[in-house]
Amino acid sequence: MIRIGIILGSTRPTRRGPQIAQWVLDSASRRGDAEFELIDLREHLLPHLEEAAPPMFGPSAHEHTRAWAERIAPFDGFVVVTPEYNGGVPGVLKNAIDHLCAEWADKAVGFVSYGVHGGARAVVQLRTVCGTLGMADVSYQVAISLLTDFENHTTFTPRDHHVAALNKTLDQLIAWSGALAPLRACTDTTLVDSCGADHGHDQRFPARNR
């Protein structure tokens, strides 16, 4: 069965993300067409990228990076639950993405964002990043307002349009995750554009071990 990881992309002490991520997990788990699991970045507190070489060049020398790679590799697709900080992607989420390369490739990704303006600008940036890593970002997304979608500004209260948007996002995500399975099963080397390299030309990296 298809496995989908729900990435909680904030580590702030006062974050609103856990409520939203749990809603996504509870809603998704009732579907029956995929397995879903929460991935909390608080459980993988990676330092600011200190790798000696880009992740495309092989396993890291650091245990924390190898553990993060092992956590991500088994999944076929992801839902990224992200806030918007100052008009962009949270640094901790971008850092976690940049620590890996092959573990992201040929997988589908959908977005559930939140912020004063629904987190839309963070998702715009994430679509570019994920596309560069060879991920297929689905068109539907869920946008949650911190001003109108939290009761007393503390408790997330999903509305009918949030439920509908999440269902459409998951429909696309699961379909695309299945469609990309032949590419993930490939054992040959894969051509990618950059994957964190400091070079302008194409690079090759070994396909992931599954």
Side-chain angles (χ1 to χ4, degrees):
M1 183 175 286
I2 289 172
R3 296 185 64 187
I4 303 294
I6 300 169
I7 299 176
L8 176 49
S10 171
T11 58
R12 277 184 170 174
T14 57
R15 60 185 181 166
R16 308 285 179 84
Q19 297 181 60
I20 299 171
Q22 189 62 50
W23 167 69
V24 173
L25 178 61
D26 292 343
S27 300
S29 297
R30 291 193 288 267
R31 293 176 59 96
D33 54 356
E35 296 178 352
F36 297 87
E37 189 172 337
L38 184 62
I39 303 170
D40 190 342
L41 292 187
R42 278 191 182 176
E43 298 175 2
H44 295 273
L45 295 176
L46 300 164
H48 188 71
L49 196 61
E50 86 290 32
E51 301 291 341
M56 59 183 292
F57 291 124
S60 169
H62 300 290
E63 183 178 354
H64 52 256
T65 302
R66 295 197 303 272
W68 176 233
E70 291 171 2
R71 184 74 172 107
I72 292 299
F75 291 98
D76 303 300
F78 303 94
V79 176
V80 177
V81 178
T82 180
E84 179 182 308
Y85 292 164
N86 300 318
V89 180
V92 67
L93 176 57
K94 181 63 164 61
N95 186 54
I97 293 172
D98 288 344
H99 267 77
L100 306 180
C101 183
E103 291 78 10
W104 302 120
D106 300 324
K107 298 180 180 182
V109 59
F111 304 100
V112 176
S113 61
Y114 60 99
V116 174
H117 302 290
R121 290 175 293 184
V123 172
V124 169
Q125 293 179 4
L126 283 169
R127 289 187 186 279
T128 299
V129 171
C130 291
T132 301
L133 287 165
M135 304 182 79
D137 57 302
V138 304
S139 59
Y140 280 104
Q141 68 185 71
V142 184
I144 297 166
S145 171
L146 290 177
L147 299 179
T148 61
D149 297 327
F150 284 80
E151 185 177 353
N152 297 322
H153 300 286
T154 57
T155 304
F156 175 52
T157 52
R159 304 172 189 271
D160 290 344
H161 68 275
H162 294 133
V163 174
L166 178 61
N167 286 334
K168 290 178 180 179
T169 299
L170 293 175
D171 286 345
Q172 283 193 332
L173 179 65
I174 293 167
W176 287 27
S177 295
L180 290 168
L183 293 179
R184 294 193 299 274
C186 180
T187 57
D188 295 330
T189 57
T190 304
L191 187 65
V192 295
D193 183 35
S194 57
C195 251
D198 293 327
H199 318 283
H201 54 81
D202 289 340
Q203 300 290 330
R204 293 182 183 271
F205 62 89
R208 72 189 62 77
N209 295 321
R210 295 184 62 82

